[in-house]
Amino acid sequence: MEGHQRNLYLYDRFNARVAGVSRDDVTTLQYFAAKLGVTFPLLSNVSGYLGLDFGALAPGRPFFSRRTVIIDRKGVIRYARDGSPDFHEILTVLKKLHEEEDGP
Amino acid sequence: MRRFPIALLLFVIMLPGCATMTAKQAHSPYRIAADGDIVWRGEYRFSPPPKPWLLVSLDEGDTAFAYLKVVSGEPLCQSTFAYSEEPFGVSRNLRQRMKEFYRRFLWAGRVTFDPPRTRPVTVFGREALEATSLGRDPARGEKVWTKVILARRGERLVAFFMTQWQPTNGTFDRDEEKIFQRFIDSFRFLKPSFYQTL
């Protein structure tokens, strides 16, 4: 989360918006946001349907696996990776998508 | 008119203190130049400290590398210094970032730090900030001397930091700070960072 917060100025430069999704309740997320200094939205999805839709919730598991998904402005998933975020890779993809936006 | 933005969605597990690790590279990330300097991934060049300092941490988490010196005794004392490309914290303001750094520094220990003493310094020809603080771990009967230097690389901040552990009644070896400073003075970037190329 800290890495994403650190990169917010670059996400903004590439016209990207970031949100975290967790199965924790709103009160817990408010606590984490305050403790970690996170200013981007953290979405509470207790029922877990978003995790199912995006492949981050394995059957029988109580919480999401770590997954990063990039969705372009047309709603198409352009990037999905499990595990710890690879910030260089994420920023490279965002830069490419932004250049596509500005293209002919 | 503002266009509809790209969305970056993160599925997260909220576990405090959950460390992340990156996979170790199969190949050595450094080579030794003819003059003895270390060339790290073609990104940095620096003079290594003399023995018995050992290179110990190879690209784990956000610390690119660290040196360790172990001093025999009871309890076992150790000193470290490191360069971090992504130091703790998020701010690009030197003073604010220093506060954020010390909030997380040595988080796994039970160290209570004195308020850090700061002073402006110059690193890589640009403004930087140095902080020193004494930490205490009364449960283990240890104390730790810390020095942190936040410097600028492009738009972002990088850090050099050192720790020196001693028993509560031990004496710190100030010569290690000179070795740390020589390491910083020798440190050069060989090319723009990834972030500078975006």
Side-chain angles (χ1 to χ4, degrees):
Chain A
M1 303 300 270
E2 190 174 63
H4 290 293
Q5 183 72 30
R6 199 179 288 143
N7 288 337
L8 281 185
Y9 73 103
L10 291 169
Y11 296 161
D12 194 48
R13 196 173 291 170
F14 297 140
N15 194 26
R17 299 293 175 270
V18 60
V21 188
S22 165
R23 293 196 73 178
D24 292 292
D25 58 75
V26 171
T27 305
T28 303
L29 293 183
Q30 284 175 331
Y31 167 79
F32 272 108
K35 185 174 171 62
L36 301 174
V38 170
T39 58
F40 57 82
L42 296 179
L43 310 178
S44 171
N45 182 218
V46 176
S47 67
Y49 71 88
L50 273 173
L52 281 172
D53 286 352
F54 287 92
L57 185 61
R61 293 285 298 276
F63 43 74
F64 295 148
S65 303
R66 294 186 76 174
R67 171 165 271 220
T68 305
V69 179
I70 297 176
I71 308 162
D72 71 13
R73 56 195 292 259
K74 293 175 183 166
V76 178
I77 294 175
R78 301 289 294 267
Y79 173 94
R81 290 286 185 279
D82 292 321
S84 298
D86 181 332
F87 293 110
H88 287 204
E89 200 173 76
I90 290 166
L91 285 163
T92 301
V93 172
L94 292 179
K95 181 184 180 187
K96 180 172 171 288
L97 292 178
H98 185 56
E99 286 167 353
E100 285 178 15
E101 279 188 326
D102 285 344
Chain B
M1 188 176 71
R2 187 118 180 128
R3 289 181 176 179
F4 191 78
I6 300 161
L8 181 59
L9 215 52
L10 317 169
F11 288 87
V12 294
I13 317 163
M14 292 303 186
L15 296 175
C18 190
T20 60
M21 304 281 280
T22 54
K24 285 189 178 180
Q25 293 205 332
H27 302 292
S28 172
Y30 68 90
R31 68 177 175 82
I32 301 172
D35 63 0
D37 277 4
I38 301 279
V39 177
W40 192 275
R41 289 185 168 179
E43 287 247 357
Y44 337 114
R45 184 185 183 111
F46 54 90
S47 301
K51 290 181 180 177
W53 290 89
L54 292 171
L55 190 58
V56 287
S57 177
L58 302 182
D59 203 18
E60 293 181 351
D62 61 5
T63 301
F65 55 86
Y67 279 94
L68 167 72
K69 187 178 114 177
V70 177
V71 180
S72 299
E74 188 59 45
L76 205 63
C77 296
Q78 68 175 38
S79 301
T80 63
F81 63 78
Y83 169 75
S84 177
E85 190 81 344
E86 301 282 351
F88 295 136
V90 300
S91 178
R92 285 180 287 152
N93 174 285
L94 288 165
R95 290 194 177 276
Q96 176 60 28
R97 184 66 164 269
M98 193 64 87
K99 288 179 189 168
E100 295 169 355
F101 187 94
Y102 265 99
R103 211 173 291 150
R104 296 273 306 280
F105 195 27
L106 302 179
W107 60 270
R110 287 162 288 188
V111 176
T112 305
F113 282 111
D114 290 345
R117 290 184 168 191
T118 60
R119 71 179 182 107
V121 292
T122 301
V123 179
F124 309 131
R126 300 177 68 184
E127 64 163 347
L129 186 68
E130 177 189 284
T132 54
S133 178
L134 178 66
R136 295 179 183 83
D137 182 348
R140 296 176 61 181
E142 292 178 348
K143 60 184 180 181
V144 58
W145 174 253
T146 62
K147 179 183 271 193
V148 179
I149 295 170
L150 291 176
R152 295 192 183 278
R153 186 182 191 195
E155 295 178 296
R156 297 169 80 93
L157 300 186
V158 297
F160 298 93
F161 52 93
M162 72 169 290
T163 62
Q164 187 183 145
W165 292 88
Q166 285 287 333
T168 303
N169 60 357
T171 305
F172 290 117
D173 179 359
R174 297 295 179 189
D175 284 345
E176 288 186 357
E177 281 190 56
K178 293 176 189 166
I179 292 170
F180 178 53
Q181 190 59 50
R182 278 202 293 274
F183 166 74
I184 296 170
D185 292 342
S186 75
F187 198 96
R188 298 286 179 272
F189 296 121
L190 299 177
K191 64 180 184 182
S193 73
F194 165 78
Y195 297 102
Q196 287 172 288
T197 63
L198 285 173

